Amino acid sequence: MYELSKDQVDFILEDVRRNGIKTEELQLSLLDHICCVIENEMSPDKNFDDYYRSVLPRFFKKELKEIQEETDLLLTFKHYYAMKKVMLRSGMFSAITFAIGAIFKIMHWPGASALLQLAIISISFIFLPIFFLIKSKEVKVVQQKFIIGFGVIFGILFCISTLFKIMHWPGASFMWLLALGVLFFLFLPVFFFSGIRNPDTKMNTILSSIMVVIAGGLLFTLTAIYGAKYKEEAIEIADLHLKNVTIFASSSLDDKSNKIDSLVRIELQQKTEKVLNNISEVRNSLYKYLGEGKSVNEEELLMGYRNDYLSCHQFFFKSYTRNPEKDLPKEILIQLKKELKTYQSYVNQYFKISSKSILNLDDQNRTFDGESVKTDWEHIYFSVTPFETIVRNLNQLEIDIRLIEASCI
Amino acid sequence: MYSSELIKGTLKTIILKLLSESDKMYGYEITQKVKELTGGKIQLTEGALYPTLHALEAQGILSTDVVNVGNRIRKYYSVTITGKQIAKEKVNEYSDFIDTMIFLLDLKPKMG
């Protein structure tokens, strides 16, 4: 058996290092292995240098540093399978939670927000980051890494802005615009210009870019522009509401020139306030219901519930069949109608005023699928009616009451 | 000698099986043992052996012991408790795989 001198061992170690083996652990492992080969397999009459040169190629195909690269790859992917598992599970979890949360939200069952929050948080903070780590390691080209990175940033911002929007938290729109900014000014240029250079991917790149522009543009139109429109409309409605209240407050009962007796006047005032309070209560509990327990203002609700006739219908009625005979009103609406009727009959009795021309609580004929159907007051104003119309109807009801009151004096 | 592609997929299984049957072994010893057991038909290439050993160590499947030998350091590898379980699973999986391959490639000895 050949015995290696210290110089020879040092020489081998140095040579291994020079050939691109960077980590000490690997250097020492290879050193021992090479030494073992030489000690066990070289016949004593052979020359060390020649033999060493002939042994080395056993370790690689082209270069020794292949071993270093292979080790690095295996080590960086040490947690690869665990990560992949977490990614798939969190993805699946998010998808299922999101679907269930959406159903809960539509049905207004408790826990909808918690489920949606959980889904969005697990998508944005577990699924997408791991997706980025895994995918960006799989691609070799730097541009591809950027494409995946920007795509993931867009995804996270999009998810979080959706979360903010459904929770009615401030900053949703800003985040949404930021997401679109990332999509249009970072993701798309890199994606387009890196893909178009390669003849193989040219066609697909152009098609995908067009899709991204259309989809992003549609989302932008749907949210940002209409969002601004809702806002104006919401302010308009809120203004109108405020104006009504002021007009009637100033016009009504402080007027000294009225003919009626002050005691009667006080009674009328009390009864009017009672009805108006009842309307306010209905309004407040509707807002609270839509805001899921939190007090949310009209403006924010208009952003979230515009054109949403189902949520309001579910607040006022026991079922949703769209058949006026089957959908029975809930207690809150029955109570409101009762109050209004009591007020009307009081006014009719004491002031000999027929308030029907102002506020008609009777059943009326409505055309429904081409047929004239007798429909009650509850269904005309509150059934299958979008939120903004309900707000308008409640405002109108307040105006009507004030008008009746004014006509009494 | 079998082609390196065939060996590559089984490298982990071979290493784990060998190490779980002995107390501890070092790299060169593993290659020699495999060569001896298979009559030279399977020769582990060092280019694949060390990256795999280092990765298995990082995953906690193998533990190491460092010993000074003459002018250099020698790393002995042994299987951890979790590693033993994985070795068992790998061997079972491979045996199942072989059965499937025999069936797939129609290698069953003909009856009669």
Side-chain angles (χ1 to χ4, degrees):
Chain A
M1 196 171 117
Y2 187 86
E3 191 130 353
L4 286 163
S5 70
K6 191 175 181 305
D7 285 347
Q8 285 169 328
V9 172
D10 289 343
F11 167 76
I12 297 171
L13 184 62
E14 192 46 48
D15 194 52
V16 166
R17 268 190 203 136
R18 222 182 12 245
N19 279 297
I21 305 298
K22 281 172 265 153
T23 50
E24 201 189 350
E25 296 234 341
L26 202 55
Q27 287 167 3
L28 295 175
S29 292
L30 289 181
L31 172 68
D32 182 47
H33 197 104
I34 295 166
C35 292
C36 283
V37 173
I38 294 170
E39 285 173 348
N40 290 303
E41 298 171 20
M42 187 174 108
S43 49
D45 55 318
K46 279 197 174 142
N47 177 280
F48 166 77
D49 284 338
D50 294 342
Y51 195 75
Y52 173 69
R53 297 280 156 230
S54 70
V55 166
L56 211 56
R58 277 172 43 175
F59 291 76
F60 54 83
K61 287 198 186 93
K62 281 186 201 137
E63 285 175 289
L64 189 64
K65 69 172 183 196
E66 286 164 18
I67 298 187
Q68 183 70 56
E69 284 165 1
E70 178 82 8
T71 310
D72 289 347
L73 192 75
L74 286 173
L75 286 180
T76 28
F77 276 68
K78 165 169 80 159
H79 301 303
Y80 181 79
Y81 292 103
M83 275 162 71
K84 219 167 185 175
K85 222 185 240 172
V86 173
M87 180 181 83
L88 288 176
R89 289 201 179 150
S90 68
M92 229 128 77
F93 170 80
S94 313
I96 293 168
T97 319
F98 197 81
I100 297 173
I103 294 169
F104 269 53
K105 180 99 188 166
I106 295 167
M107 303 306 286
H108 280 289
W109 290 335
S113 302
L115 284 168
L116 289 175
Q117 277 179 57
L118 203 65
I120 290 176
I121 287 168
S122 92
I123 287 180
S124 332
F125 298 110
I126 304 173
F127 177 76
L128 286 173
I130 299 179
F131 176 86
F132 171 73
L133 288 176
I134 289 178
K135 284 286 162 193
S136 64
K137 276 206 181 106
E138 278 175 15
V139 295
K140 295 271 184 289
V141 194
V142 185
Q143 277 113 320
Q144 297 270 318
K145 284 184 204 288
F146 274 106
I147 291 171
I148 294 167
F150 290 141
V152 164
I153 293 172
F154 166 74
I156 292 173
L157 283 170
F158 182 65
C159 287
I160 296 176
S161 72
T162 310
L163 175 70
F164 271 55
K165 196 137 221 164
I166 56 171
M167 297 312 294
H168 305 288
W169 288 337
S173 307
F174 170 72
M175 233 177 288
W176 168 232
L177 286 175
L178 204 67
L180 279 173
V182 171
L183 182 69
F184 283 118
F185 300 111
L186 295 174
F187 175 82
L188 207 57
V190 183
F191 175 74
F192 186 76
F193 290 111
S194 71
I196 204 164
R197 281 194 203 122
N198 185 346
D200 288 340
T201 54
K202 193 175 172 182
M203 189 66 185
N204 275 335
T205 302
I206 295 172
L207 286 176
S208 308
S209 300
I210 292 172
M211 300 279 199
V212 169
V213 172
I214 290 174
L218 279 175
L219 280 170
F220 178 74
T221 336
L222 274 174
T223 51
I225 292 174
Y226 277 85
K229 208 178 136 201
Y230 297 158
K231 204 169 167 182
E232 279 165 24
E233 213 170 284
I235 292 167
E236 228 169 74
I237 291 176
D239 276 354
L240 184 71
H241 184 195
L242 207 72
K243 222 189 279 166
N244 293 334
V245 176
T246 353
I247 289 170
F248 287 105
S250 60
S251 72
S252 63
L253 304 170
D254 300 324
D255 193 351
K256 295 277 189 291
S257 69
N258 60 66
K259 300 157 282 205
I260 56 167
D261 171 26
S262 68
L263 270 177
V264 178
R265 218 175 65 196
I266 289 167
E267 199 186 7
L268 174 68
Q269 193 173 6
Q270 281 172 346
K271 296 221 185 254
T272 310
E273 287 309 321
K274 196 172 166 231
V275 179
L276 288 174
N277 278 343
N278 200 305
I279 298 169
S280 288
E281 261 168 44
V282 172
R283 184 198 297 277
N284 288 340
S285 52
L286 171 68
Y287 287 7
K288 209 166 173 185
Y289 169 79
L290 295 178
E292 274 152 31
K294 280 175 285 292
S295 52
V296 183
N297 67 35
E298 206 165 67
E299 202 175 301
E300 281 174 68
L301 286 174
L302 266 162
M303 307 270 263
Y305 287 102
R306 195 176 197 273
N307 291 334
D308 184 344
Y309 51 82
L310 189 60
S311 301
C312 292
H313 180 92
Q314 278 165 338
F315 175 75
F316 288 113
F317 294 90
K318 286 176 184 160
S319 59
Y320 176 69
T321 63
R322 303 186 77 120
N323 182 345
E325 280 168 19
K326 284 187 187 152
D327 291 341
L328 296 173
K330 283 187 184 169
E331 193 52 38
I332 192 158
L333 197 51
I334 298 172
Q335 203 58 42
L336 179 65
K337 194 181 179 184
K338 215 164 123 193
E339 284 279 344
L340 291 170
K341 274 201 158 153
T342 319
Y343 183 72
Q344 253 187 341
S345 58
Y346 162 76
V347 169
N348 292 351
Q349 199 180 338
Y350 286 90
F351 299 94
K352 308 286 178 232
I353 286 170
S354 172
S355 56
K356 224 174 226 177
S357 57
I358 301 172
L359 177 61
N360 190 354
L361 293 171
D362 294 342
D363 293 356
Q364 291 172 46
N365 282 326
R366 290 277 142 151
T367 7
F368 187 72
D369 281 344
E371 266 180 82
S372 179
V373 182
K374 224 174 179 50
T375 316
D376 59 15
W377 174 82
E378 292 94 317
H379 281 90
I380 294 172
Y381 291 101
F382 297 99
S383 168
V384 202
T385 306
F387 175 70
E388 64 274 20
T389 314
I390 298 271
V391 172
R392 195 198 70 92
N393 288 346
L394 287 172
N395 288 347
Q396 188 60 50
L397 210 54
E398 283 172 342
I399 299 172
D400 292 345
I401 297 297
R402 287 295 187 194
L403 274 174
I404 294 172
E405 188 196 27
S407 63
C408 292
I409 308 166
Chain B
M1 263 290 276
Y2 297 114
S3 68
S4 60
E5 276 121 52
L6 274 178
I7 296 168
K8 206 168 181 185
T10 56
L11 185 58
K12 230 185 236 181
T13 317
I14 296 171
I15 293 171
L16 286 175
K17 176 72 179 164
L18 276 185
L19 286 175
S20 61
E21 279 176 355
S22 71
D23 185 29
K24 56 179 185 178
M25 287 171 110
Y26 59 97
Y28 180 74
E29 196 185 355
I30 295 172
T31 57
Q32 292 310 104
K33 184 86 180 171
V34 172
K35 201 170 161 186
E36 182 196 318
L37 286 173
T38 61
K41 277 179 152 182
I42 292 178
Q43 286 188 20
L44 300 185
T45 50
E46 289 80 359
L49 176 69
Y50 285 100
T52 306
L53 283 174
H54 282 250
L56 287 171
E57 187 192 346
Q59 285 163 21
I61 296 170
L62 297 182
S63 62
T64 53
D65 233 343
V66 177
V67 175
N68 270 316
V69 182
N71 298 317
R72 57 183 195 266
I73 282 168
R74 177 166 294 165
K75 215 174 183 183
Y76 280 95
Y77 294 90
S78 53
V79 182
T80 60
I81 297 165
T82 43
K84 285 211 164 103
Q85 188 55 39
I86 291 171
K88 218 184 254 170
E89 283 166 19
K90 285 255 168 210
V91 171
N92 287 339
E93 188 195 0
Y94 199 71
S95 130
D96 196 53
F97 174 71
I98 288 172
D99 288 345
T100 314
M101 286 308 282
I102 287 173
F103 175 74
L104 183 70
L105 302 178
D106 201 15
L107 300 176
K108 272 250 155 72
K110 294 212 164 54
M111 300 297 279

